[in-house]
């Protein structure tokens, strides 16, 4: 049987040739993302700003009367609702900010939800209330700070781990690549105004994990090659390492994308944003391990001596693999 | 590489078989596995509320509320102690402000005996002998009683424990199945009720403190003063929304009442005369005799029935009520009377609880999510499996075998821990499929590479596994770090995702590295191939 080969053997693409341009573009994209977040803001879900989200399905009509809903809910006097389709055209979510003073008296929020669901039930007999999420201001603040801390904590813990397992330059490179991935994902959410909720924090952490996965595979090969080809120019060595791991990178990215496409197309609507973030993350993460994580090693002056003292002892202990000469 | 001892093969196979066995009950959702022979496991994965439908409610108590109640009790105890002292100690100018009780002893010669009398009130119950209150005397005669932080903490802790029990009783009374009620942190309680159709009724029930009091109406009070909220001496004022006289408030005697903690039973019934829904209550023997005394001494006068600080009704006592049971009327619907009796039966909450987070998912949406999640999981997995075979041939088969086992193992481990599968958990599941093959991709690509460099088959496989393992290890550790942080800081469904992710990482490394290595080694030993299609 002839097997599929997506990447030909012994590719020799000069990836690092474009590093200055790539890094410049990336920095511009990071700045652009930050500007987008600052200017348009993120479309925070009730998890992070508090408030209520009521999910409904109109069982008898194919299209939900969004404009009419906006007027009717607005007429209840709690301010303008955010009304969005999600999934089918007859499924909508109605999002409301917490009424004034709801932090002191949660009853107010309750009354608001009752009024909205009451209005829906009387005015649209075919409506089905699929879910109500109600988060008070205090809880949402906690969720937001916990989300931020889990992101920051994960990035630092991972950096620390890589620093210990490799060298400090590698830790710095990984941290920079992670920052790039997270910033761009934020930018994506500011651009699309997809709802940013707790699930997205989960997606972000998974992107971090995935991007790291990629970076580590490349780093591992760089470390190996640094020991093997002690005289090689660092740029050539990085190119070699990226090329050697290219087939794996493409394969793994593809299997991830296949799984994520299945989630986006056939999966439940509620996690569409999550899958979309991950989908984007696979691209960003793969890109950043080549163009963010690797070039930094050049600038931070990683060389063949970086691994010498501790690793030579390890090499001698390894009997089976052994150092090899390549002809 | 070829040397794969029999004991390893056997133990790995046994471990895999065990994992698959543990996953089986969860694959038969519903009750069918209950009919299995008893030696088979019956632990299953729990379905999260976002999949099964139901309500998640987070309740929070205000510690200041506990402090206030405690201070109120303290004031009553102080009054009682001072009255009981011999000779009686006259006090005045009592105030409760900023969480501190202060009062004056009128006769300065009695300060020492007052302090003596108060001392027993300040130490906490239990063996620790910690002080619950500090007493301070200012300007010779002013006593200031303030709670110690340890005492307050302890009180809040006890109140939350009692509240958790009360809530459990109330929800059990509603007849809902398998509710989860857990204390969370210092002041919160999580209530999860699967399959609940009407979360409003639940919130209504949990929001009621259900503190019931019977107090005599101060019928001599000046109606104007009462309307303005100025209580006569020895009385206090409560709102009375259904007052037949039309006044918004009513004055009742501060002392001599009975509280609802003396109840043994409560049930919904009808008033035989008017046919209105009422709540029938039964007192315990102490409450019954006190109630009998109260009614005997006050025939012809009204007494107020007060629930959570609001007067429900204030009927006249027509005749002494001696049997220990009474009737609460108060403009009820049948449902309202029923709810009140549930709340009364299960006891009063020691602290007011407020809903700070609610997540309800309708059963239709839950079922829809399961269906879509399953479809996505099947399609995604099938596509990845096909892709692996097309790319790596025999080694792809081995990887797929490992991946399939991995899916069973994740379910099995989750079942052992009785973990909860949520919607993001399904996403985590699919993601594991996508990334679990990464280890095999790394290994297989490395074997290809080593073959290209001219290594012999067995050696190429050997080096492939060895060299790839380092990267696999590092990569998965970092993922576990991300997963752990997700678990620590995450809440609800996100935690479910983290659990699946972490379990998936551990089992996938085992299956993708150890199990495939075993399969490859057995195959190499049997056939000793000279060529490798990979």
């Amino acid at each position: 049987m002839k097997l599929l080969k997506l990447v030909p053997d012994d590719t020799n693409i000069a990836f690092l040739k474009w590093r200055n341009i790539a890094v410049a573009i990336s920095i511009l994209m990071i700045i652009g993302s930050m500007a987008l977040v600052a200017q348009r803001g993120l479309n925070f879900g009730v998890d992070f700003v508090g408030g209520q989200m009521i999910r409904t399905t109109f069982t008898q009509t194919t299209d939900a009367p969004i404009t009419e809903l906006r007027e009717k809910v607005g007429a209840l006097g709690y301010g303008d609702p955010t009304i969005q389709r999600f999934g089918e055209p007859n499924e909508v979510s109605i999002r409301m900010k917490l009424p004034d003073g709801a932090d002191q008296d949660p009853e107010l929020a309750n009354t608001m939800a009752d009024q909205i669901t009451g209005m829906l039930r009387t005015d649209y007999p075919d409506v089905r209330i699929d879910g109500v999420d109600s988060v008070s201001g205090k809880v949402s603040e906690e969720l937001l700070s916990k989300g931020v801390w889990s992101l920051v904590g994960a990035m630092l813990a991972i950096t620390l781990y890589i620093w210990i397992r490799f060298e400090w330059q590698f830790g710095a490179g990984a941290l920079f690549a992670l920052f790039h991935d997270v910033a761009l994902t934020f930018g994506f959410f500011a651009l699309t105004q997809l709802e940013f909720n707790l699930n997205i924090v989960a997606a972000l952490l998974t992107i971090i994990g995935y991007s790291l996965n990629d970076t580590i595979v490349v780093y591992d090969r760089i470390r190996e090659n640094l020991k093997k080809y002690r005289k090689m120019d660092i740029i050539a060595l990085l190119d070699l390492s990226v090329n050697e791991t290219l087939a794996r990178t493409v394969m793994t990215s593809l299997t991830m994308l296949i799984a994520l496409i299945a989630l986006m197309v056939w999966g439940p609507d509620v996690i569409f944003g999550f899958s979309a973030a991950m989908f984007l993350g696979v691209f960003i993460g793969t890109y950043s391990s080549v163009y963010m994580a690797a070039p930094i090693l050049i600038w931070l002056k990683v060389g063949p001596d970086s691994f010498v003292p501790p690793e030579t002892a390890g090499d001698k202990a390894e009997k089976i693999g052994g150092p090899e000469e390549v002809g | 590489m070829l040397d794969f001892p029999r004991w390893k093969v056997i133990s790995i196979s046994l471990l895999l078989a065990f994992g698959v066995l543990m996953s089986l009950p969860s694959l038969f959702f519903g009750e069918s596995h209950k009919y299995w022979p008893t030696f088979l496991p019956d632990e299953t994965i729990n379905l999260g509320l976002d999949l099964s439908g139901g309500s998640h409610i987070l309740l929070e108590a205000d510690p200041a509320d506990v402090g206030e109640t405690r201070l109120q009790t303290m004031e009553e105890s102080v009054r009682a102690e001072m009255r009981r002292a011999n000779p009686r100690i006259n006090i005045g100018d009592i105030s409760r402000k900023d969480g501190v009780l202060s009062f004056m002893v009128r006769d300065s010669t009695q300060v020492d005996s007052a302090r003596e009398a108060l001392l027993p009130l300040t130490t906490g119950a239990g063996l620790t002998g910690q002080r619950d209150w500090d007493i301070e005397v200012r300007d010779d005669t002013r006593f200031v009683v303030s709670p110690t932080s340890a005492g307050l903490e302890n009180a809040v802790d006890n109140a939350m424990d009692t509240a958790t029990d009360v809530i459990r009783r109330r929800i059990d009374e509603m007849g809902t199945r398998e509710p989860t009620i857990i204390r969370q942190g210092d002041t919160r309680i999580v209530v999860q009720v699967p399959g609940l159709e009407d979360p409003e009724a639940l919130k209504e029930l949990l929001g009621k403190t259900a503190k019931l009091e019977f107090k005599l109406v101060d019928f001599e009070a000046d109606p104007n003063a009462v309307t303005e909220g100025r209580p006569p001496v020895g009385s206090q004022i409560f709102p009375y929304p259904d007052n037949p006289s039309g006044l918004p408030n009513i004055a009742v005697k501060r002392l001599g009442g009975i509280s609802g903690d003396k109840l043994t039973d409560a049930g919904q019934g009808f008033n035989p005369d008017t046919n209105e829904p009422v709540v029938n209550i039964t007192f315990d023997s102490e409450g019954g005799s006190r109630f009998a005394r109260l009614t005997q001494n006050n025939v012809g006068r009204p007494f107020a029935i007060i629930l959570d600080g609001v007067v429900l009704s204030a009927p006249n006592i027509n005749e002494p009520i001696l049997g220990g049971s009474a009737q609460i009327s108060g403009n009820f619907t049948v449902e309202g009377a029923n709810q009140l009796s549930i709340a009364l039966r299960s006891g009063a909450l020691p602290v007011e609880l407020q809903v700070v987070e609610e997540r309800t998912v309708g059963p239709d949406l839950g079922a829809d999510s399961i269906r879509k999640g399953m479809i996505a999981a099947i399609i995604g997995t099938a596509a990845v499996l096909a892709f692996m075979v097309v790319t790596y041939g025999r080694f792809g088969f081995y990887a797929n075998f490992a991946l399939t086992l991995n899916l069973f193992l994740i379910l099995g481990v989750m079942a052992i821990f009785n973990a909860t599968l949520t919607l993001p958990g399904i996403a985590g599941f699919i993601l594991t499929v996508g990334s679990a093959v990464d280890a095999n991709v790394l290994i297989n690509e490395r074997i290809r590479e080593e073959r290209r460099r001219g290594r012999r088959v067995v050696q190429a496989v050997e080096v492939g596994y060895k060299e790839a393992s380092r990267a696999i290890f590092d990569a998965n550790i970092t993922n576990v770090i991300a997963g752990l942080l997700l678990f620590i800081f995450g809440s609800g469904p996100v935690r479910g995702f983290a659990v699946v992710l972490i379990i998936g990482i551990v089992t996938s490394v085992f299956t993708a590295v150890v199990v495939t290595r075993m399969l490859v080694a057995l195959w190499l030993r049997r056939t000793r191939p000279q060529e490798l299609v990979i």
Side-chain angles (χ1 to χ4, degrees):
Chain A
M1 190 172 80
K2 184 95 175 66
L3 296 179
L4 177 72
K5 248 184 204 166
L6 293 167
V7 179
D9 294 342
D10 298 319
T11 51
N12 192 13
I13 305 168
F15 285 104
L16 273 288
K17 202 162 97 188
W18 308 103
R19 64 181 182 279
N20 291 328
I21 298 172
V23 170
I25 292 175
S26 291
I27 290 175
L28 281 180
M29 300 244 303
I30 292 175
I31 294 171
S33 295
M34 287 173 158
L36 262 177
V37 172
Q39 186 226 329
R40 300 181 67 156
L42 294 167
N43 179 13
F44 278 123
V46 293
D47 292 343
F48 295 140
V49 286
Q52 261 153 357
M53 185 170 85
I54 300 170
R55 277 171 289 173
T56 58
T57 306
F58 289 80
T59 53
Q60 301 296 319
T61 40
T62 46
D63 269 297
I66 290 188
T67 333
E68 199 182 298
L69 271 177
R70 189 165 288 133
E71 279 165 17
K72 287 196 172 176
V73 178
L76 294 174
Y78 291 107
D80 284 332
T82 311
I83 298 187
Q84 277 174 333
R85 270 207 184 100
F86 72 105
E88 305 297 319
N90 62 339
E91 297 173 353
V92 285
S93 71
I94 302 168
R95 231 158 70 211
M96 294 294 295
K97 287 208 179 73
L98 285 173
D100 291 337
D103 269 356
Q104 275 71 46
D105 185 5
E107 266 313 299
L108 292 173
N110 239 332
T111 318
M112 182 175 82
D114 286 352
Q115 284 198 15
I116 296 173
T117 49
M119 182 277 289
L120 285 172
R121 286 203 174 102
T122 39
D123 287 10
Y124 305 95
D126 72 320
V127 89
R128 193 181 77 199
I129 310 279
D130 284 328
V132 178
D133 282 1
S134 164
V135 182
S136 75
K138 197 175 164 193
V139 171
S140 65
E141 271 167 32
E142 274 176 33
L143 291 177
L144 186 60
S145 69
K146 278 183 172 181
V148 171
W149 280 115
S150 57
L151 278 181
V152 174
M155 284 167 73
L156 293 181
I158 289 168
T159 309
L160 187 70
Y161 177 78
I162 293 181
W163 175 42
I164 292 169
R165 287 282 294 171
F166 291 81
E167 281 291 312
W168 70 269
Q169 293 98 328
F170 290 77
L175 184 63
F176 189 59
L178 286 185
F179 178 71
H180 167 265
D181 300 341
V182 173
L184 258 54
T185 314
F186 273 114
F188 169 75
F189 274 89
L191 184 71
T192 58
Q193 293 288 305
L194 279 173
E195 189 187 318
F196 195 93
N197 54 31
L198 263 186
N199 285 346
I200 304 304
V201 173
L204 270 169
L205 276 169
T206 320
I207 290 172
I208 286 181
Y210 177 78
S211 166
L212 240 307
N213 215 2
D214 242 31
T215 307
I216 284 176
V217 170
V218 176
Y219 275 6
D220 182 65
R221 191 53 77 99
I222 293 173
R223 176 168 60 181
E224 194 184 324
N225 284 338
L226 276 173
K227 283 187 277 178
K228 214 192 283 181
Y229 311 109
R230 312 202 48 133
K231 299 260 149 57
M232 195 187 271
D233 168 54
I234 182 74
I235 296 175
L237 189 138
L238 294 183
D239 265 335
L240 175 71
S241 307
V242 174
N243 273 295
E244 279 179 350
T245 50
L246 189 62
R248 172 265 160 198
T249 306
V250 172
M251 268 302 292
T252 299
S253 305
L254 270 177
T255 53
M256 284 291 287
L257 292 180
I258 289 173
L260 286 167
I261 289 171
L263 262 186
M264 272 161 60
V265 177
W266 292 284
D269 309 322
V270 188
I271 50 175
F272 179 82
F274 171 87
S275 316
M278 282 297 306
F279 190 83
L280 178 80
V282 171
F283 288 104
I284 301 181
T286 310
Y287 165 83
S288 73
S289 23
V290 175
Y291 281 112
M292 297 283 104
I296 287 191
L297 300 180
I298 304 174
W299 298 317
L300 295 179
K301 306 244 183 296
V302 168
D305 296 335
S306 300
F307 290 102
V308 174
E311 298 287 338
T312 30
D315 271 354
K316 276 179 195 150
E318 291 167 358
K319 289 199 179 75
I320 311 167
E324 60 172 326
E325 295 302 318
V326 174
Chain B
M1 180 75 210
L2 297 182
D3 181 35
F4 215 95
R6 183 176 293 268
W7 67 268
K8 265 193 187 172
V9 176
I10 291 174
S11 40
I12 290 172
S13 306
L14 281 177
L15 194 60
L16 291 177
F18 176 70
V20 173
L21 184 69
M22 292 308 291
S23 74
L24 290 181
S26 306
L27 290 173
F28 296 89
F29 289 121
E31 303 292 300
S32 62
H33 67 270
K34 293 272 156 69
Y35 304 106
W36 291 18
T38 45
F39 63 86
L40 288 172
D42 63 353
E43 277 97 356
T44 54
I45 293 173
N46 299 315
L47 280 187
L49 294 178
D50 52 353
L51 292 175
S52 61
S55 286
H56 160 107
I57 292 175
L58 183 63
L59 297 159
E60 188 177 57
D62 185 1
D65 189 27
V66 177
E68 185 50 40
T69 316
R70 207 161 153 258
L71 211 57
Q72 212 171 330
T73 320
M74 191 63 182
E75 181 187 336
E76 280 159 30
S77 309
V78 168
R79 282 176 191 273
E81 282 301 323
M82 296 299 107
R83 242 193 336 268
R84 208 186 307 161
N86 194 12
R88 180 187 171 124
I89 302 167
N90 281 315
I91 56 174
D93 195 18
I94 294 196
S95 80
R96 281 182 273 137
K97 229 194 248 166
D98 305 325
V100 171
L101 173 72
S102 79
F103 60 89
M104 297 233 306
V105 173
R106 294 208 189 281
D107 181 352
S108 61
T109 59
Q110 286 183 312
V111 167
D112 285 341
S113 56
R115 193 209 297 271
E116 200 66 24
L118 287 177
L119 224 49
L121 297 177
T122 61
T123 43
L127 303 168
T128 50
Q130 65 166 11
R131 293 184 77 78
D132 280 359
W133 302 86
D134 286 331
I135 301 180
E136 204 188 326
V137 184
R138 289 183 195 155
D139 306 334
D140 294 340
T141 54
R142 172 160 291 280
F143 276 72
V144 177
V145 183
S146 50
T148 62
S149 61
L152 194 58
E153 240 167 63
N154 203 13
V156 171
D157 195 54
N158 287 338
M160 292 305 288
D161 276 346
T162 314
T164 312
D165 286 342
V166 170
I167 286 176
R168 185 167 296 123
R169 280 200 294 274
R170 286 190 190 177
I171 292 178
D172 284 348
E173 294 261 4
M174 276 181 88
T176 30
R177 284 176 304 120
E178 299 174 34
T180 313
I181 298 138
I182 312 167
R183 251 193 85 175
Q184 193 178 70
D186 292 338
T187 56
R188 286 180 177 169
I189 299 171
V190 176
V191 177
Q192 293 188 325
V193 187
L196 186 76
E197 294 282 346
D198 183 12
E200 290 310 315
L202 179 67
K203 280 196 292 185
E204 186 78 4
L205 187 61
L206 299 184
K208 266 203 188 82
T209 310
K211 188 176 172 212
L212 186 67
E213 294 163 291
F214 299 91
K215 291 190 167 183
L216 285 170
V217 173
D218 184 358
F219 52 89
E220 288 161 341
D222 172 15
N224 288 328
V226 170
T227 311
E228 285 162 22
R230 282 184 288 117
V233 176
S235 292
Q236 57 195 135
I237 286 182
F238 283 110
Y240 185 8
D242 295 330
N243 195 345
S245 75
L247 295 178
N249 297 331
I250 192 167
V252 298
K253 294 278 188 196
R254 210 181 258 279
L255 300 172
I258 298 172
S259 76
D261 56 359
K262 302 275 185 278
L263 292 183
T264 56
D265 195 19
Q268 187 261 324
F270 292 96
N271 181 335
D273 300 331
T274 60
N275 221 16
E276 279 176 349
V278 292
V279 177
N280 294 315
I281 54 172
T282 315
F283 286 102
D284 63 10
S285 58
E286 191 202 334
S289 58
R290 278 178 65 184
F291 198 63
R293 224 179 312 135
L294 178 82
T295 49
Q296 239 162 0
N297 296 340
N298 294 287
V299 172
R301 292 177 187 162
F303 73 110
I305 304 169
I306 306 161
L307 181 71
D308 291 345
V310 176
V311 176
L312 288 178
S313 59
N316 269 316
I317 302 169
N318 295 328
E319 54 193 85
I321 303 168
L322 304 173
S325 57
Q327 208 169 59
I328 304 174
S329 55
N331 222 351
F332 292 121
T333 59
V334 174
E335 204 174 74
N338 201 18
Q339 276 200 6
L340 177 59
S341 37
I342 291 179
L344 290 176
R345 270 205 301 275
S346 45
L349 283 174
V351 53
E352 195 181 329
L353 295 172
Q354 291 182 324
V355 177
V356 287
E357 187 185 1
E358 183 213 333
R359 292 176 197 271
T360 301
V361 174
D364 292 317
L365 186 67
D368 197 46
S369 297
I370 292 189
R371 195 174 47 77
K372 285 187 168 169
M374 290 290 173
I375 290 174
I378 291 169
I379 294 176
T381 311
V384 170
L385 293 180
F387 191 52
M388 286 297 284
V389 173
V390 175
T391 316
Y392 296 121
R394 172 180 290 275
F395 282 74
F397 265 119
Y398 290 151
N400 286 345
F401 182 71
L403 176 62
T404 314
L405 277 177
N406 182 30
L407 298 183
F408 281 103
L409 282 190
I410 295 177
L411 289 175
V413 174
M414 288 183 74
I416 290 171
F417 290 123
N418 261 317
T420 303
L421 182 68
T422 59
L423 189 56
I426 292 184
F429 209 78
I430 299 174
L431 225 71
T432 312
V433 172
S435 59
V437 292
D438 180 54
N440 288 114
V441 170
L442 271 167
I443 295 166
N444 294 346
E445 288 294 337
R446 190 71 191 220
I447 296 175
R448 274 185 176 178
E449 218 179 306
E450 297 301 328
R451 281 293 290 159
R452 277 205 302 277
R453 288 181 183 171
R455 282 192 199 275
R456 277 174 289 116
V457 170
V458 173
Q459 220 197 350
V461 173
E462 172 96 54
V463 174
Y465 268 92
K466 190 181 149 310
E467 292 294 323
S469 295
R470 208 178 39 235
I472 294 171
F473 179 77
D474 279 333
N476 282 292
I477 291 278
T478 50
N479 268 323
V480 169
I481 292 175
L484 280 178
L485 282 153
L486 208 53
F487 185 79
I488 293 168
F489 290 106
S491 82
V494 174
R495 277 193 160 199
F497 172 75
V499 168
V500 177
L501 201 68
I502 294 171
I503 295 176
I505 291 168
V506 176
T507 57
S508 78
V509 169
F510 174 68
T511 53
V513 180
V514 181
V515 175
T516 62
R517 192 187 172 114
M518 176 181 82
L519 296 172
V520 173
L522 294 177
W523 171 68
L524 286 178
R525 198 160 65 188
R526 208 177 55 242
T527 58
R528 309 254 172 198
Q530 295 302 308
E531 245 332 296
L532 207 56
V533 183
I534 186 165

